Amino acid sequence: MSSTVRLTVAQATVRFLEAQHVERDGRTHAFFAGCWGIFGHGNVAGVGQALLERSQSDDPSRLGFFHGRNEQAMVHAAVAYARQYDRLRAMAVTASVGPGSTNMVTGAALATINRLPVLLLPGDVFATRPANPVLQELEDPSSMDTTVNDSFRSVSRYWDRVARPEQLPSALLQAMRVLTDPADTGAVTLCLPQDVQAEAHDWPVELFETRVWHVGRPVPQPAELERAVAAIKASRRPLVVAGGGVIYAGADAALAAFAEATGIPVGETQAGKGSLPYDHPRALGAIGATGTTAAADAVAAEADLVIGVGTRYSDFTTASRTVFAAEGVRFVNVNVARIDALKLSAATLVADAREALEALTDALDGWRVDDAYVERNTALAQEWDAVVEASHQATTGDTRLVQSAVLGVVNETSDPRDVVLCAAGSMPGDLHKLWRTRDRKGYHVEYGFSCMGYEIAGGLGVKMAALDQAREGADDDRDVFVMVGDGSYLMMNTELVTAVAEGVKIIVVLVQNHGYASIGALSQSLGSQRFGTRYRYRTDTGLDGDVLPVDLAANAASLGADVVVASSIDDLRSAVVKAKESTRTTVIHVETDPLVPAPSSPAWWDVPVAEVSALDSTREARTTYEQHKADQRHHLAPTDTPSTAQQSEDTPR
Ligand SMILES: Cc1ncc(C[n+]2csc(CCOP(=O)(O)OP(=O)(O)O)c2C)c(N)n1
Ligand SMILES: [Mg+2]
């Protein structure tokens, strides 16, 4: 008979998590870097007790505990940590039954959409139902088996409820399968009823033995490789779209080698920015709705073949399917996930990005695009760089700063390895176009879910990862610059307190423009007159009074951060230098003019305008909308018909 150990379900869960390791490229480390938590009756005596017990042991592999201030923010921090670690390490998050758990739903969606691993352990209502409804129980009249935690199902890549201790081993193993699979990863939710958490069981000891999950690098199938090579060789104006998969696979060097060998230029998505340093000769910068107008988007408009590498082709990347405008344009997609590889009717290379790029470089065997194409792309990239340079010098007529100049100062004053982080508002688009990324982990904009409130919590998670990487000797420490708008700051600034408590230093640049510059501009362009996008006093005619006497600098100081108010570009520069020298979390507050845009882009984003309206502004916007709508492409042609762009007399049909 195999030996057993008697532990509660919660204790067994924690012990199992401590024993999980991940290996890629011969490097192995513990998968879980800790467990975030906020306690209530649904987890305090279960998972909380288990974490307490481990915190009092001197076992170096014990699971650390981090106390956040908001459950959604804890998930953001955990997800950002995993992204910084290229998904090879992750964190767990425990929450109480009811609102503590549902607060995590937004974080779960963000994780799943961005294909980033996080393990969620929401407390759940009693499995034994001794005195239900327990505080915060839903009571669905059609099924007592439905709880608020069922709302995680649609946003989790794996979801389970452990109603009996015997179910735990299989639930934990399924969780690990998903968390460590690059093609399948996202939020994993294991709901733990509060009584079951505290229940003891005799577990086979093997459950807690060190287990190593090997993260492989799937190689391309020969037939897929052959088709991709044929498509590339038949192209005259190919373009790579580099997505997050390039970065997670550590395929940046392989991408550079591919681009250098073939002369094919590279545009980057939000998640893929940093795949090439901004000044790499083949780099065209950002692509899509927030793309570099003169460079990547201009090349995309004429490309006859788009090679997507590790991208999910969001509507921002494709400019709502208008940016790849050439008649008969075709796609070859490299992706570990078949769902992404198949997008836009592409020829697929279901493989790891590094493996696929190396195989393509080898198989193309010296094939190159024309010199004229290379020269033209170099000139376009230089043209765009001059636009970036000019945007750094922009000024207003008053004392307020211009956002693009703020980004320029932070970019120039930060170190190449520092990380810039953002998620929502007008800054992600500006950063995508204007930020000069110099390190493959130097750019962290969450634009899968673009979730207001991710910024500060995410910055905390990235910095925790950077500190762990430095401790492991894998990397040097780096500063994290969190760029946050006033709207996003007001939505979730809670984790400043956690950063202060943990002694984890982040630098927050708080851009105060008294409302939503982004949605304001969008609203205006759609004929909706910036309705409901400014933070103003209510008057007889609406929310159009004076700006509010809100002092976000004082707010940040009250949460324990050092605060600097910068009212000029020189002030800002010295504030950044000082914040970099400091060991404490610093918030730099700047006032900007929301009406000065960054260099604009003609690229479109499909946001439907009212088809009928009593407002002139809306009717005009609808006309423009319909004109753009006519440019939208379907990209539905099957891959086995030759593209018109590539058809020539010698191409067999
Ligand atoms: C949680 C959430 N709610 C709503 C939105 C829609 N939204 C996108 S940007 C934005 C305004 C952001 O304001 P702020 O942070 O001040 O940035 P600014 O637009 O002024 O640059 C809103 C409401 C969102 N992305 N996330
Ligand atoms: Mg704002």
Side-chain angles (χ1 to χ4, degrees):
M1 225 184 81
S2 69
S3 53
T4 58
V5 51
R6 193 162 176 77
L7 297 168
T8 69
V9 164
Q11 290 160 359
T13 301
V14 169
R15 293 287 285 272
F16 175 88
L17 299 185
E18 290 171 350
Q20 305 314 300
H21 289 70
V22 155
E23 176 274 332
R24 187 175 77 174
D25 300 335
R27 286 191 56 202
T28 304
H29 42 218
F31 185 62
F32 288 100
C35 183
W36 289 91
I38 290 180
F39 297 118
H41 65 283
N43 63 342
V44 65
V47 176
Q49 189 280 339
L51 289 167
L52 163 71
E53 222 173 273
R54 295 303 287 157
S55 77
Q56 295 186 350
S57 104
D58 52 13
D59 182 346
S61 67
R62 67 183 181 276
L63 195 68
F65 169 67
F66 303 110
H67 186 192
R69 269 68 191 171
N70 173 304
E71 290 87 356
Q72 180 186 325
M74 296 194 296
V75 184
H76 292 336
V79 166
Y81 184 99
R83 175 164 165 177
Q84 185 65 15
Y85 257 101
D86 293 329
R87 315 192 280 207
L88 297 172
R89 297 198 80 194
M91 289 172 153
V93 189
T94 170
S96 186
V97 64
S101 287
T102 53
N103 264 359
M104 298 198 295
V105 172
T106 298
L110 184 150
T112 295
I113 285 167
N114 285 287
R115 280 95 157 113
L116 291 167
V118 64
L119 176 64
L120 305 180
L121 302 172
D124 216 331
V125 300
F126 281 88
T128 52
R129 305 179 188 171
N132 52 337
V134 64
L135 176 70
Q136 300 164 335
E137 181 166 346
L138 178 68
E139 287 196 286
D140 177 351
S142 68
S143 169
M144 287 298 154
D145 187 43
T146 305
T147 81
V148 295
N149 287 342
D150 286 71
S151 59
F152 283 94
R153 284 181 189 264
S154 66
V155 291
S156 300
R157 295 297 292 162
Y158 182 78
W159 182 100
D160 211 342
R161 178 176 286 127
V162 181
R164 291 185 57 85
E166 293 87 338
Q167 296 169 338
L168 185 68
S170 71
L172 290 171
L173 292 169
Q174 292 305 320
M176 287 307 298
R177 168 182 64 79
V178 172
L179 289 168
T180 60
D181 181 346
D184 207 24
T185 197
V188 167
T189 303
L190 299 185
C191 308
L192 302 175
Q194 61 177 111
D195 49 351
V196 179
Q197 283 180 43
E199 201 174 329
H201 183 75
D202 295 309
W203 310 92
V205 289
E206 308 90 85
L207 182 62
F208 309 111
E209 281 170 14
T210 297
R211 199 174 295 256
V212 180
W213 299 81
H214 299 281
V215 178
R217 292 186 176 275
V219 295
Q221 290 176 31
E224 288 201 325
L225 186 63
E226 218 171 279
R227 285 194 289 266
V229 167
I232 294 171
K233 283 187 171 170
S235 72
R236 306 210 42 205
R237 294 176 306 280
L239 165 71
V240 167
V241 173
V246 173
I247 303 210
Y248 302 139
D252 45 311
L255 176 63
F258 173 83
E260 285 155 23
T262 60
I264 300 179
V266 177
E268 293 172 332
T269 72
Q270 283 278 14
K273 193 166 158 84
S275 295
L276 290 182
Y278 82 97
D279 53 357
H280 185 279
R282 299 279 60 79
L284 295 174
I287 192 153
T290 52
T292 57
T293 312
D297 282 5
V299 174
E302 293 177 5
D304 57 358
L305 181 76
V306 177
I307 306 163
V309 188
T311 174
R312 36 193 295 274
Y313 284 111
S314 79
D315 64 349
F316 261 84
T317 297
T318 67
S320 299
R321 304 210 177 170
T322 57
V323 79
F324 307 118
E327 196 59 45
V329 56
R330 288 301 168 82
F331 299 83
V332 166
N333 291 338
V334 174
N335 211 296
V336 276
R338 206 165 146 74
I339 183 173
D340 293 320
L342 278 164
K343 286 176 179 169
L344 309 184
S345 311
T348 59
L349 264 177
V350 179
D352 171 79
R354 196 182 79 185
E355 292 293 331
L357 286 164
E358 286 174 356
L360 283 170
T361 308
D362 280 356
L364 284 163
D365 194 23
W367 176 90
R368 272 181 77 78
V369 295
D370 289 349
D371 288 348
Y373 184 59
V374 174
E375 280 156 27
R376 176 160 178 270
N377 295 335
T378 306
L380 293 178
Q382 281 164 358
E383 206 178 298
W384 181 257
D385 205 52
V387 175
V388 174
E389 197 58 49
S391 79
H392 291 180
Q393 316 305 329
T395 52
T396 55
D398 54 45
T399 55
R400 292 172 301 173
L401 305 182
V402 174
Q403 187 166 289
S404 61
V406 170
L407 301 184
V409 169
V410 178
N411 203 172
E412 283 158 18
T413 321
S414 58
D415 286 327
R417 293 185 66 266
D418 291 346
V419 182
V420 68
L421 184 142
C422 193
S426 56
M427 279 189 282
D430 292 3
L431 287 164
H432 195 209
K433 280 187 272 205
L434 304 175
W435 190 265
R436 290 167 164 161
T437 309
R438 299 156 288 178
D439 181 273
R440 81 176 185 93
K441 299 305 289 185
Y443 185 87
H444 184 130
V445 172
E446 185 284 294
Y447 217 62
F449 210 40
S450 185
C451 184
M452 289 170 77
Y454 176 83
E455 300 87 350
I456 290 171
L460 175 62
V462 171
K463 182 64 185 184
M464 289 168 83
L467 289 168
D468 283 353
Q469 285 165 337
R471 247 175 247 130
E472 281 170 13
D475 230 335
D476 292 335
D477 190 16
R478 38 176 122 207
D479 273 315
V480 178
F481 284 88
V482 173
M483 309 299 301
V484 63
D486 56 313
S488 297
Y489 180 88
L490 278 170
M491 210 172 264
M492 200 181 293
N493 50 48
T494 48
E495 299 325 291
L496 272 180
V497 181
T498 309
V500 170
E502 293 285 346
V504 172
K505 173 203 166 185
I506 55 174
I507 302 171
V508 178
V509 179
L510 202 181
V511 177
Q512 169 63 282
N513 57 20
H514 303 278
Y516 306 162
S518 52
I519 306 299
L522 180 67
S523 167
Q524 176 102 25
S525 74
L526 301 175
S528 290
Q529 305 175 15
R530 294 186 181 255
F531 177 68
T533 63
R534 284 171 293 208
Y535 293 147
R536 300 289 172 123
Y537 281 108
R538 184 173 290 285
T539 68
D540 291 346
T541 47
L543 294 168
D544 56 3
D546 274 346
V547 293
L548 304 174
V550 172
D551 187 345
L552 296 183
N555 176 278
S558 79
L559 299 180
D562 287 350
V563 176
V564 184
V565 176
S567 16
S568 69
I569 284 292
D570 288 342
D571 271 9
L572 175 60
R573 194 171 287 112
S574 40
V576 172
V577 171
K578 200 170 145 221
K580 276 190 67 64
E581 283 164 3
S582 171
T583 55
R584 286 178 41 80
T585 286
T586 304
V587 175
I588 303 171
H589 182 284
V590 290
E591 285 260 352
T592 61
D593 182 343
L595 300 181
V596 182
S600 70
S601 158
W604 184 60
W605 185 36
D606 189 346
V607 180
V609 178
E611 205 169 348
V612 292
S613 168
L615 305 175
D616 287 346
S617 61
T618 307
R619 281 198 300 274
E620 277 161 32
R622 176 70 195 189
T623 308
T624 312
Y625 177 74
E626 283 168 8
Q627 286 158 1
H628 281 299
K629 196 74 186 159
D631 293 335
Q632 211 161 30
R633 312 253 151 187
H634 303 296
H635 303 307
L636 288 174
T639 52
D640 49 2
T641 38
S643 85
T644 41
Q646 292 170 11
Q647 270 174 38
S648 64
E649 309 79 77
D650 55 0
T651 312
R653 285 219 62 150

